[in-house]
Amino acid sequence: MGGVTSSMAAKLAFFPPNPPSYKLVADEMTGLLLLSTFPHRENVEILKLPTRKGTEVVGMYIRHPMATSTLLYSHGNAADLGQMYELFVELSIHLRVNLMGYDYSGYGQSSGKPSEQHTYADIEAVYKCLEEGYGAKQEDIILYGQSVGSGPTLDLAARLPHLRAVVLHSPILSGLRVMYPVKKSYWFDIYKNIDKIQLVDCPVLVIHGTADEVVDCSHGKQLWELSKEKYEPLWLKGGNHCDLEHHPEYIRHLKKFVLTVEKPPSQRYTGSRRRSTDQQLLPPRKSTDIVFEASRKSTDRREKPRHSTDVNKLLLKSNSNNLSEKLEKLKNQSNYAEKLRVSFDQVERSRRSVDCCLEKSRKSVDHQLERGRKSVDRIRTG
């Protein structure tokens, strides 16, 4: 039963375009390999790479002059390089990355037949070419897996501890889980991503459409929940299984992710768990410092009124002291005026007393003179 189910899962997993969308041709002047449907580009190389399974896969390497990252793209189950060519060129331009795409065994002009184990050998051969042929380092490589491509992507990512990042585009939990909502992994299942995602040590971005009818969005959400280093996911509202690249948010979010993971780990702001880890392990300015800074600024703002109040208090105190001094002066002046008034009153009373005495003396003199005159008059008449 397990073998039958595994065979069914494999048949549902692989739909190579038939016929292939391109042929391999050699340039007449240079002898370089080209895809028959596209003109030669100076920055695009077409390769044929041997695998450990004995097949030969076709690879496509796009060089960007400003790139610091290399994107290794594993496409979906019903596409080949001829159909992905233009998207790959656009991604390289917009993300400023070198990009390596390839066809699985049995796809396009790659030899052999598609199978789970062949795809593992295929991606290993392409990764080896990046390291040995183009000098790419593990720390500079971003693995990108779309749909069934999430299988070889996570299988390789689980064995490479120093990758720059992983992108999962409409990923699957496992082949069997696309058909049946099983709760555990069976030995005969294929692409058991649900078990491998927990072994990935680099930042993981998950992109999934909410209206995906081929692989339900719950697959992407569960893989994101299980990842160690989460980056903010992109759940594209109304997005289907094969149209996410047409949503404007797709390229914006992907570009933001690439720019983030290209920074040193201490400067990254990836997912919630990643930020939490960075805050705990790294002393440079993080959200905690920002909180402290905001708190300090807030305290400063609260202290300003207090400073103003202190000045007002000082001014009031100063004014109060000045007023007291003035009142004291006025009081002293009032006392002085009172003393002057008392003195004037005393002088006035003395003057009146003198006037009274003088008036009495004058009247006494006048009376005596009058008596003397009358006495003289009597003597004369006598």
Side-chain angles (χ1 to χ4, degrees):
M1 178 64 181
V4 173
T5 306
S6 181
S7 178
M8 288 175 57
K11 287 182 179 180
L12 289 172
F14 303 111
F15 292 97
N18 188 19
S21 67
Y22 70 95
K23 293 181 179 180
L24 286 180
V25 296
D27 185 85
E28 293 181 357
M29 296 185 65
T30 63
L32 297 175
L33 286 176
L34 302 175
L35 300 189
S36 59
T37 50
F38 299 97
H40 172 67
R41 287 175 178 262
E42 290 294 332
N43 66 324
V44 177
E45 296 179 55
I46 306 300
L47 313 162
K48 296 182 76 173
L49 306 171
T51 74
R52 59 179 171 81
K53 288 286 188 178
T55 63
E56 201 171 47
V57 297
V58 179
M60 171 183 170
Y61 183 78
I62 305 172
R63 191 188 307 274
H64 192 288
M66 305 295 290
T68 58
S69 297
T70 298
L71 194 74
L72 199 172
Y73 197 117
S74 300
H75 60 63
N77 68 341
D80 64 18
L81 284 180
Q83 296 172 344
M84 302 297 293
Y85 185 96
E86 291 181 347
L87 175 63
F88 285 172
V89 171
E90 289 297 315
L91 286 177
S92 176
I93 293 171
H94 288 292
L95 302 179
R96 294 188 177 185
V97 296
N98 301 319
L99 189 147
M100 174 70 90
Y102 66 102
D103 270 336
Y104 311 120
S105 296
Y107 276 70
Q109 297 301 321
S110 295
S111 64
K113 293 183 179 181
S115 71
E116 178 188 15
Q117 295 303 318
H118 272 137
T119 60
Y120 295 156
D122 297 341
I123 195 172
E124 287 173 9
V126 176
Y127 177 81
K128 181 180 179 181
C129 174
L130 286 176
E131 280 195 321
E132 297 179 0
Y134 294 99
K137 298 178 180 179
Q138 184 181 150
E139 295 82 0
D140 300 329
I141 293 176
I142 300 172
L143 299 186
Y144 190 117
Q146 178 181 4
S147 186
V148 73
S150 61
T153 292
L154 284 177
D155 182 77
L156 183 61
R159 293 179 281 129
L160 297 176
H162 304 299
L163 283 172
R164 175 159 284 179
V166 167
V167 179
L168 300 177
H169 176 149
S170 304
I172 62 174
L173 286 168
S174 73
L176 188 58
R177 286 176 172 84
V178 176
M179 299 186 296
Y180 308 110
V182 295
K183 299 298 183 182
K184 64 178 182 177
S185 295
Y186 294 92
W187 65 268
F188 51 82
D189 198 357
I190 65 171
Y191 295 131
K192 290 178 269 193
N193 294 337
I194 190 172
D195 300 324
K196 295 176 183 178
I197 185 66
Q198 302 171 67
L199 304 175
V200 177
D201 293 324
C202 62
V204 175
L205 165 63
V206 180
I207 304 172
H208 215 123
T210 61
D212 194 327
E213 296 179 351
V214 178
V215 179
D216 190 79
C217 189
S218 60
H219 285 244
K221 289 183 177 180
Q222 191 169 347
L223 287 172
W224 183 78
E225 288 291 343
L226 291 171
S227 60
K228 288 181 182 178
E229 297 198 41
K230 300 174 178 64
Y231 185 85
E232 180 185 359
L234 179 60
W235 313 126
L236 285 168
K237 187 175 181 180
N240 294 312
H241 192 67
C242 300
D243 69 350
L244 303 188
E245 302 90 345
H246 303 301
H247 291 252
E249 303 96 320
Y250 167 81
I251 194 66
R252 285 201 299 265
H253 201 79
L254 190 55
K255 186 175 183 178
K256 179 183 173 185
F257 175 69
V258 171
L259 290 173
T260 298
V261 298
E262 285 181 340
K263 297 176 182 178
S266 61
Q267 298 178 19
R268 292 177 186 172
Y269 291 88
T270 56
S272 57
R273 184 172 297 181
R274 175 75 178 183
R275 283 197 295 269
S276 176
T277 303
D278 286 346
Q279 289 166 11
Q280 293 173 8
L281 299 180
L282 299 167
R285 184 181 180 86
K286 289 293 177 184
S287 63
T288 306
D289 295 334
I290 293 171
V291 170
F292 287 152
E293 179 67 14
S295 177
R296 186 185 64 78
K297 289 181 178 178
S298 175
T299 304
D300 289 345
R301 285 196 293 271
R302 289 196 299 269
E303 286 176 351
K304 288 178 181 178
R306 183 183 61 79
H307 177 68
S308 176
T309 304
D310 291 345
V311 171
N312 290 337
K313 286 181 179 180
L314 290 172
L315 290 173
L316 288 172
K317 184 176 181 180
S318 176
N319 292 337
S320 177
N321 291 337
N322 291 337
L323 183 61
S324 298
E325 291 177 0
K326 289 180 180 179
L327 288 173
E328 186 66 25
K329 288 181 179 180
L330 287 173
K331 183 177 179 181
N332 293 336
Q333 290 175 359
S334 177
N335 292 337
Y336 181 69
E338 180 66 19
K339 290 179 180 178
L340 287 177
R341 188 181 63 78
V342 171
S343 298
F344 286 144
D345 289 345
Q346 291 175 348
V347 171
E348 181 65 17
R349 284 197 298 271
S350 299
R351 186 185 65 78
R352 288 176 181 176
S353 177
V354 170
D355 288 345
C356 185
C357 292
L358 290 173
E359 182 63 22
K360 288 181 179 179
S361 298
R362 186 181 64 77
K363 286 181 179 181
S364 176
V365 171
D366 288 344
H367 180 69
Q368 290 177 2
L369 287 173
E370 182 61 24
R371 287 176 62 188
R373 187 183 62 79
K374 287 179 178 182
S375 176
V376 171
D377 287 342
R378 283 196 302 271
I379 292 171
R380 283 180 180 177
T381 57

